[in-house]
Amino acid sequence: MFSQTDPDPLLPDLSNELGNKYYDAVDYLLKNTWMVDTLVEEKIKPDLAFSAVIPQMIRYSALRDLVEGGALRTLYIQSGRKYSHYTTGRFQMKASFAELVERNYSRQKMGPYKFILSNTTKARGERARRLESEKWQLRYLVMFVKLMDKRYAHIKWKNDEDKARFYATAFDVGFNRDMRTIERIMTGKTLSRRSKQIKSKYRTGDVAVWFMVNDGHRFRPDHSGGAATGAGNN
């Protein structure tokens, strides 16, 4: 069975659209070689995993994360789920995303981690602290990819770029949505949410594919150059 998406249109040139924030994100991943090592140990393709978060990384702002994130984090812990959609960290993960990952991961008994799943101040506080950790953000990414791989194990993707486009869209809009909804968002006329730092519009899936085509090879274990510093295309 194949993915139901139509053949990808010609990928637009995003080099000017994405700007320096894209290259900064790639540089960050190249320098943090422990992330690649961890993903390989988990039997996950680093290029696929990073393609899901690279669109979010472009939206990252250390100052905004410190100022806005701190206040919203406190509101989430003290007041509950209605404030769970704030984003934090390099991968710009939401508390609502982390909770969804935890619930599915625990329900399907996919690994060793134990989570408090009740909607309590303690549970929210622990989740918020985990999201502030780079190691935990990577762990959530690992869980996300494994959950997606299990849910869509019956799909034969046309290629890695097709899979990356779908996974990145699911990460962005909610992987709990059904496949038809994710595909409609991924291929429809309505573009994904905009970054305030980027003047033009682009689809999250387009960014994921751009990364796979232009820089994904840098994160593959068989890449002869290893995790060299500096992103390509700049």
PDB file of all heavy atoms in Angstrom, residues 38-54:
ATOM      1  N   THR A  38      22.631   9.222  19.475  1.00  0.00           N
ATOM      2  CA  THR A  38      21.461   8.714  20.208  1.00  0.00           C
ATOM      3  C   THR A  38      20.423   8.149  19.251  1.00  0.00           C
ATOM      4  O   THR A  38      19.865   7.060  19.490  1.00  0.00           O
ATOM      5  CB  THR A  38      20.831   9.834  21.051  1.00  0.00           C
ATOM      6  OG1 THR A  38      21.795  10.322  21.993  1.00  0.00           O
ATOM      7  CG2 THR A  38      19.604   9.319  21.801  1.00  0.00           C
ATOM      8  N   LEU A  39      20.151   8.860  18.178  1.00  0.00           N
ATOM      9  CA  LEU A  39      19.155   8.397  17.211  1.00  0.00           C
ATOM     10  C   LEU A  39      19.586   7.096  16.551  1.00  0.00           C
ATOM     11  O   LEU A  39      18.763   6.186  16.362  1.00  0.00           O
ATOM     12  CB  LEU A  39      18.906   9.476  16.160  1.00  0.00           C
ATOM     13  CG  LEU A  39      18.195  10.730  16.669  1.00  0.00           C
ATOM     14  CD1 LEU A  39      18.278  11.859  15.640  1.00  0.00           C
ATOM     15  CD2 LEU A  39      16.737  10.442  17.008  1.00  0.00           C
ATOM     16  N   VAL A  40      20.859   6.983  16.222  1.00  0.00           N
ATOM     17  CA  VAL A  40      21.365   5.743  15.619  1.00  0.00           C
ATOM     18  C   VAL A  40      21.214   4.586  16.601  1.00  0.00           C
ATOM     19  O   VAL A  40      20.815   3.475  16.222  1.00  0.00           O
ATOM     20  CB  VAL A  40      22.835   5.908  15.180  1.00  0.00           C
ATOM     21  CG1 VAL A  40      23.427   4.566  14.757  1.00  0.00           C
ATOM     22  CG2 VAL A  40      22.939   6.902  14.027  1.00  0.00           C
ATOM     23  N   GLU A  41      21.524   4.841  17.868  1.00  0.00           N
ATOM     24  CA  GLU A  41      21.358   3.805  18.891  1.00  0.00           C
ATOM     25  C   GLU A  41      19.908   3.359  19.012  1.00  0.00           C
ATOM     26  O   GLU A  41      19.619   2.191  19.285  1.00  0.00           O
ATOM     27  CB  GLU A  41      21.852   4.324  20.247  1.00  0.00           C
ATOM     28  CG  GLU A  41      23.363   4.454  20.351  1.00  0.00           C
ATOM     29  CD  GLU A  41      23.792   5.077  21.670  1.00  0.00           C
ATOM     30  OE1 GLU A  41      22.917   5.289  22.544  1.00  0.00           O
ATOM     31  OE2 GLU A  41      24.998   5.352  21.832  1.00  0.00           O
ATOM     32  N   GLU A  42      18.997   4.284  18.786  1.00  0.00           N
ATOM     33  CA  GLU A  42      17.566   3.979  18.858  1.00  0.00           C
ATOM     34  C   GLU A  42      17.022   3.404  17.543  1.00  0.00           C
ATOM     35  O   GLU A  42      15.829   3.185  17.404  1.00  0.00           O
ATOM     36  CB  GLU A  42      16.782   5.244  19.211  1.00  0.00           C
ATOM     37  CG  GLU A  42      17.052   5.791  20.602  1.00  0.00           C
ATOM     38  CD  GLU A  42      16.382   4.969  21.694  1.00  0.00           C
ATOM     39  OE1 GLU A  42      15.558   4.080  21.363  1.00  0.00           O
ATOM     40  OE2 GLU A  42      16.677   5.221  22.871  1.00  0.00           O
ATOM     41  N   LYS A  43      17.960   3.183  16.583  1.00  0.00           N
ATOM     42  CA  LYS A  43      17.594   2.632  15.264  1.00  0.00           C
ATOM     43  C   LYS A  43      16.620   3.546  14.509  1.00  0.00           C
ATOM     44  O   LYS A  43      15.681   3.095  13.853  1.00  0.00           O
ATOM     45  CB  LYS A  43      17.017   1.223  15.406  1.00  0.00           C
ATOM     46  CG  LYS A  43      18.018   0.215  15.957  1.00  0.00           C
ATOM     47  CD  LYS A  43      17.406  -1.172  16.091  1.00  0.00           C
ATOM     48  CE  LYS A  43      18.466  -2.219  16.421  1.00  0.00           C
ATOM     49  NZ  LYS A  43      19.338  -1.885  17.559  1.00  0.00           N
ATOM     50  N   ILE A  44      16.872   4.839  14.636  1.00  0.00           N
ATOM     51  CA  ILE A  44      16.091   5.864  13.933  1.00  0.00           C
ATOM     52  C   ILE A  44      17.028   6.621  12.995  1.00  0.00           C
ATOM     53  O   ILE A  44      18.148   6.971  13.381  1.00  0.00           O
ATOM     54  CB  ILE A  44      15.441   6.841  14.930  1.00  0.00           C
ATOM     55  CG1 ILE A  44      14.336   6.131  15.722  1.00  0.00           C
ATOM     56  CG2 ILE A  44      14.880   8.068  14.222  1.00  0.00           C
ATOM     57  CD1 ILE A  44      13.731   6.967  16.813  1.00  0.00           C
ATOM     58  N   LYS A  45      16.577   6.873  11.787  1.00  0.00           N
ATOM     59  CA  LYS A  45      17.378   7.626  10.833  1.00  0.00           C
ATOM     60  C   LYS A  45      17.454   9.091  11.278  1.00  0.00           C
ATOM     61  O   LYS A  45      16.421   9.768  11.344  1.00  0.00           O
ATOM     62  CB  LYS A  45      16.772   7.544   9.436  1.00  0.00           C
ATOM     63  CG  LYS A  45      16.821   6.168   8.802  1.00  0.00           C
ATOM     64  CD  LYS A  45      16.220   6.205   7.403  1.00  0.00           C
ATOM     65  CE  LYS A  45      16.320   4.861   6.721  1.00  0.00           C
ATOM     66  NZ  LYS A  45      15.737   4.898   5.342  1.00  0.00           N
ATOM     67  N   PRO A  46      18.653   9.594  11.576  1.00  0.00           N
ATOM     68  CA  PRO A  46      18.760  10.982  12.041  1.00  0.00           C
ATOM     69  C   PRO A  46      18.209  12.002  11.058  1.00  0.00           C
ATOM     70  O   PRO A  46      17.588  12.990  11.462  1.00  0.00           O
ATOM     71  CB  PRO A  46      20.268  11.161  12.242  1.00  0.00           C
ATOM     72  CG  PRO A  46      20.785   9.781  12.500  1.00  0.00           C
ATOM     73  CD  PRO A  46      19.959   8.897  11.623  1.00  0.00           C
ATOM     74  N   ASP A  47      18.424  11.782   9.751  1.00  0.00           N
ATOM     75  CA  ASP A  47      17.937  12.758   8.780  1.00  0.00           C
ATOM     76  C   ASP A  47      16.414  12.845   8.804  1.00  0.00           C
ATOM     77  O   ASP A  47      15.845  13.939   8.731  1.00  0.00           O
ATOM     78  CB  ASP A  47      18.441  12.442   7.374  1.00  0.00           C
ATOM     79  CG  ASP A  47      18.117  11.030   6.910  1.00  0.00           C
ATOM     80  OD1 ASP A  47      17.866  10.156   7.762  1.00  0.00           O
ATOM     81  OD2 ASP A  47      18.123  10.790   5.682  1.00  0.00           O
ATOM     82  N   LEU A  48      15.740  11.722   8.952  1.00  0.00           N
ATOM     83  CA  LEU A  48      14.277  11.729   9.024  1.00  0.00           C
ATOM     84  C   LEU A  48      13.794  12.415  10.299  1.00  0.00           C
ATOM     85  O   LEU A  48      12.881  13.248  10.264  1.00  0.00           O
ATOM     86  CB  LEU A  48      13.728  10.303   8.969  1.00  0.00           C
ATOM     87  CG  LEU A  48      12.212  10.185   9.158  1.00  0.00           C
ATOM     88  CD1 LEU A  48      11.467  10.804   7.982  1.00  0.00           C
ATOM     89  CD2 LEU A  48      11.801   8.729   9.344  1.00  0.00           C
ATOM     90  N   ALA A  49      14.415  12.072  11.427  1.00  0.00           N
ATOM     91  CA  ALA A  49      14.010  12.667  12.699  1.00  0.00           C
ATOM     92  C   ALA A  49      14.212  14.180  12.686  1.00  0.00           C
ATOM     93  O   ALA A  49      13.316  14.942  13.075  1.00  0.00           O
ATOM     94  CB  ALA A  49      14.797  12.036  13.850  1.00  0.00           C
ATOM     95  N   PHE A  50      15.361  14.631  12.210  1.00  0.00           N
ATOM     96  CA  PHE A  50      15.646  16.065  12.189  1.00  0.00           C
ATOM     97  C   PHE A  50      14.767  16.805  11.191  1.00  0.00           C
ATOM     98  O   PHE A  50      14.452  17.982  11.389  1.00  0.00           O
ATOM     99  CB  PHE A  50      17.121  16.305  11.869  1.00  0.00           C
ATOM    100  CG  PHE A  50      18.071  15.880  12.950  1.00  0.00           C
ATOM    101  CD1 PHE A  50      19.363  15.471  12.642  1.00  0.00           C
ATOM    102  CD2 PHE A  50      17.682  15.897  14.281  1.00  0.00           C
ATOM    103  CE1 PHE A  50      20.243  15.073  13.635  1.00  0.00           C
ATOM    104  CE2 PHE A  50      18.555  15.497  15.297  1.00  0.00           C
ATOM    105  CZ  PHE A  50      19.839  15.084  14.962  1.00  0.00           C
ATOM    106  N   SER A  51      14.361  16.136  10.124  1.00  0.00           N
ATOM    107  CA  SER A  51      13.490  16.800   9.148  1.00  0.00           C
ATOM    108  C   SER A  51      12.146  17.169   9.760  1.00  0.00           C
ATOM    109  O   SER A  51      11.496  18.122   9.317  1.00  0.00           O
ATOM    110  CB  SER A  51      13.274  15.898   7.923  1.00  0.00           C
ATOM    111  OG  SER A  51      12.439  14.791   8.218  1.00  0.00           O
ATOM    112  N   ALA A  52      11.724  16.436  10.784  1.00  0.00           N
ATOM    113  CA  ALA A  52      10.448  16.732  11.441  1.00  0.00           C
ATOM    114  C   ALA A  52      10.515  17.995  12.285  1.00  0.00           C
ATOM    115  O   ALA A  52       9.510  18.693  12.455  1.00  0.00           O
ATOM    116  CB  ALA A  52      10.012  15.550  12.317  1.00  0.00           C
ATOM    117  N   VAL A  53      11.713  18.301  12.814  1.00  0.00           N
ATOM    118  CA  VAL A  53      11.834  19.440  13.729  1.00  0.00           C
ATOM    119  C   VAL A  53      12.532  20.651  13.118  1.00  0.00           C
ATOM    120  O   VAL A  53      12.473  21.732  13.691  1.00  0.00           O
ATOM    121  CB  VAL A  53      12.558  19.036  15.035  1.00  0.00           C
ATOM    122  CG1 VAL A  53      11.733  18.025  15.813  1.00  0.00           C
ATOM    123  CG2 VAL A  53      13.954  18.486  14.754  1.00  0.00           C
ATOM    124  N   ILE A  54      13.181  20.476  11.972  1.00  0.00           N
ATOM    125  CA  ILE A  54      13.905  21.621  11.386  1.00  0.00           C
ATOM    126  C   ILE A  54      12.986  22.806  11.113  1.00  0.00           C
ATOM    127  O   ILE A  54      13.389  23.962  11.329  1.00  0.00           O
ATOM    128  CB  ILE A  54      14.687  21.189  10.116  1.00  0.00           C
ATOM    129  CG1 ILE A  54      15.800  22.202   9.809  1.00  0.00           C
ATOM    130  CG2 ILE A  54      13.785  20.989   8.925  1.00  0.00           C
ATOM    131  CD1 ILE A  54      17.032  22.063  10.641  1.00  0.00           C
TER     132      ILE A  54
END
